[in-house]
């Protein structure tokens, strides 16, 4: 949507979304229209070119010329052969059940932590932006805890929670929680003061101000924050699984490093990137669905 918007803005003539007969265009029509505009732009082809260029550089540096800093790294051909092999040398490929067990374990952990961070983080961020007294109580504590690296939380999480699973989910939750709260707070603070004065002059009650002004006005920032939050969740998950996990992609990366199974490290990293990007896209789609007015503005 962002690329399509940028392309549309760069076009000298104004392009508008098609309208249904006798009414505004449906969300499906707007989505299809935006997709067509994006495919007509150079963006998708430049995206593919960038990925191909990286793989070519990776191949030349590791397998063709074996440059000094890259000669120990697995090349793309070795990684691909291991990934699609029916009889993988290190036991991990698209045909091995263990591969999917690691994937689903990580997804389940991220899902639990992300839902918990959203359920707690969005209301806290909304109230921090709405009630100054609540913000005065909570913001200094939040800003003190937020810069602490995830690895520094590992000993405390092991002491606080029984078992490894709860510790990993707690570490994943922390990274996601702070991003959700801060973006939600920023969303409330970005609402124009005119809307609050208008609601007050019309006699709106606090509950109506919250549900009619604050919540819809901060939705764009909330969903941007949730996309960032999802990225932090995956980032924090890997740190937790490396230290305390028995399964999961983070555990697979660290265990493969110890076992000198370098192609498996790259397989797990690429899998993390693909799943992380897909999960962020899902959040963006849900946000577009809930904010149709924003989508229609972007399609004009």
């Amino acid at each position: 949507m962002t690329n399509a918007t940028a392309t549309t803005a760069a076009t000298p003539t104004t392009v508008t979304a098609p309208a249904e007969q006798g009414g505004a265009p449906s969300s499906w029509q707007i989505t299809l229209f935006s997709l067509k505009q994006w495919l007509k732009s150079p963006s998708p082809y430049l995206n593919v070119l960038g990925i191909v260029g990286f793989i070519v550089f990776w191949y030349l540096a590791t397998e063709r010329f074996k440059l000094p800093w890259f000669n120990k790294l697995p090349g793309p051909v070795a990684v691909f052969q291991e990934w699609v092999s029916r009889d993988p040398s290190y036991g991990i490929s698209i045909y091995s059940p263990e591969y999917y067990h690691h994937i689903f374990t990580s997804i389940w952990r991220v899902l639990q932590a992300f839902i918990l961070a959203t359920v707690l983080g969005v209301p806290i961020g909304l109230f921090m932006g709405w009630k100054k007294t609540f913000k005065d109580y909570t913001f200094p504590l939040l800003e003190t805890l937020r810069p602490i690296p995830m690895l520094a939380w590992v000993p405390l999480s092991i002491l606080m929670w029984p078992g490894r699973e709860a510790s990993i989910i707690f570490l994943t939750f922390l990274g996601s929680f702070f991003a959700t709260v801060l973006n939600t707070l920023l969303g409330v603070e970005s609402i124009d003061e005119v809307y609050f004065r208008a609601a007050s002059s019309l006699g709106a009650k606090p509950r109506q101000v919250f549900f009619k002004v604050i919540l819809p006005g901060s939705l764009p920032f909330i969903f941007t924050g949730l996309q960032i939050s999802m990225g932090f969740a995956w980032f924090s998950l890997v740190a937790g699984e490396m230290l305390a996990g028995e399964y999961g992609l983070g555990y697979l990366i660290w265990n493969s490093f110890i076992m000198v199974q370098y192609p498996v490290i790259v397989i797990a990293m690429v899998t993390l990137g693909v799943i992380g990007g897909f999960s962020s896209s899902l959040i963006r789609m849900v946000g577009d669905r809930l904010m149709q007015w924003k989508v229609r503005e972007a399609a004009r």
Side-chain angles (χ1 to χ4, degrees):
M1 180 60 64
T2 304
N3 295 333
T5 306
T7 307
T8 306
T11 309
T13 57
T14 303
V15 181
T16 56
E20 284 181 332
Q21 277 188 331
S26 65
S27 58
W28 167 247
Q29 283 181 311
I30 292 174
T31 303
L32 191 61
F33 172 76
S34 301
L35 179 62
K36 287 180 180 178
Q37 291 298 114
W38 183 67
L39 289 175
K40 289 178 182 176
S41 73
S43 296
Y45 313 104
L46 293 176
N47 294 164
V48 173
L49 190 61
I51 295 173
V52 172
F54 173 77
I55 294 175
V56 170
F57 170 78
W58 179 17
Y59 169 75
L60 294 175
T62 57
E63 297 189 3
R64 180 69 174 175
F65 300 114
K66 300 183 184 301
L67 298 178
W69 289 353
F70 301 93
N71 57 3
K72 292 182 180 179
L73 299 182
V77 175
V79 171
F80 182 75
Q81 288 176 343
E82 179 73 11
W83 205 347
V84 299
S85 173
R86 290 184 177 275
D87 185 21
S89 304
Y90 305 115
I92 295 295
S93 76
I94 58 173
Y95 296 101
S96 61
E98 291 81 4
Y99 177 56
Y100 299 100
H101 186 53
H102 287 297
I103 290 175
F104 289 127
T105 300
S106 291
I107 290 177
W108 177 235
R109 286 168 175 162
V110 165
L111 190 62
Q112 293 177 80
F114 178 75
I115 291 174
L116 190 60
T118 303
V119 169
L120 293 178
V122 171
I124 290 175
L126 289 173
F127 277 99
M128 286 176 69
W130 187 27
K131 300 293 184 184
K132 186 177 182 305
T133 306
F134 184 70
K135 181 183 176 183
D136 291 340
Y137 276 121
T138 54
F139 192 71
L141 177 62
L142 186 78
E143 281 300 279
T144 304
L145 297 177
R146 187 174 63 87
I148 299 175
M150 287 304 111
L151 292 178
W153 284 96
V154 171
L156 282 183
S157 66
I158 293 174
L159 293 174
M160 288 166 57
W161 304 102
R164 297 178 176 180
E165 195 67 20
S167 300
I168 295 172
I169 293 173
F170 175 69
L171 292 171
T172 309
F173 158 79
L174 281 180
S176 185
F177 173 75
F178 293 126
T180 303
V181 172
L182 287 181
N183 278 277
T184 305
L185 170 63
L186 183 62
V188 178
E189 292 180 339
S190 68
I191 299 173
D192 197 328
E193 189 65 27
V194 172
Y195 292 104
F196 291 98
R197 287 201 294 268
S200 177
S201 64
L202 292 172
K205 296 178 180 177
R207 183 173 60 86
Q208 293 171 318
V209 172
F210 182 81
F211 286 105
K212 299 294 183 183
V213 177
I214 292 177
L215 189 57
S218 57
L219 271 182
F221 280 84
I222 290 176
F223 275 94
T224 301
L226 291 181
Q227 291 180 53
I228 298 172
S229 163
M230 179 59 81
F232 274 108
W234 283 104
F235 179 82
S236 306
L237 172 81
V238 172
E241 287 182 341
M242 279 184 172
L243 295 172
E246 292 182 347
Y247 293 100
L249 292 170
Y251 168 80
L252 184 61
I253 291 172
W254 184 244
N255 189 59
S256 301
F257 173 71
I258 295 173
M259 302 296 289
V260 199
Q261 299 173 348
Y262 298 147
V264 180
I265 296 175
V266 181
I267 290 172
M269 290 173 64
V270 175
T271 306
L272 271 171
V274 172
I275 297 174
F278 180 70
S279 55
S280 294
S281 299
L282 278 180
I283 295 171
R284 188 161 51 247
M285 289 170 62
V286 173
D288 289 344
R289 183 70 182 171
L290 293 176
M291 298 180 291
Q292 287 298 303
W293 78 90
K294 191 167 178 286
V295 175
R296 289 191 170 89
E297 284 179 5
R300 288 195 179 101

